[in-house]
Amino acid sequence: MKNSPRPLFLLYQTLQLALCIGAGTAEPSKAECVCKKMVCPSVVAPVCGSDSSTYSNECELEKAQCNTQRRIKVLRKGPCGESR
């Protein structure tokens, strides 16, 4: 049987925001991850990310995390730069 790439949900498994193909093959460095198109709720609940960006809600932060292929954590609820 031919060894074909198996799709794996590697990134953000709980939300399944990315589909990675080829990660289970002999050459994992050639795997490609594609972020799923996802519509976030229009709820405005700003969060400050570890990249110093303000996101309108946690869903938008998760989308940015997938699109940039970088780990972004929620530093705090509310916009960045706002002193408390």
Side-chain angles (χ1 to χ4, degrees), residues 14-82:
T14 56
L15 296 176
Q16 296 183 345
L17 293 178
L19 174 64
C20 297
I21 298 174
T25 64
E27 295 184 60
S29 62
K30 294 187 178 183
E32 291 185 41
C33 294
V34 179
C35 297
K36 290 184 175 184
K37 293 193 189 309
M38 178 178 164
V39 178
C40 289
S42 58
V43 174
V44 178
V47 293
C48 179
S50 57
D51 62 347
S52 300
S53 294
T54 298
Y55 298 91
S56 57
N57 54 49
E58 287 190 45
C59 179
E60 293 294 343
L61 180 142
E62 295 290 337
K63 280 176 51 175
Q65 183 173 233
C66 186
N67 290 329
T68 61
Q69 299 288 300
R70 291 179 38 221
R71 176 76 176 123
I72 305 172
K73 297 179 187 176
V74 175
L75 289 182
R76 67 171 179 266
K77 306 264 185 215
C80 296
E82 185 178 85

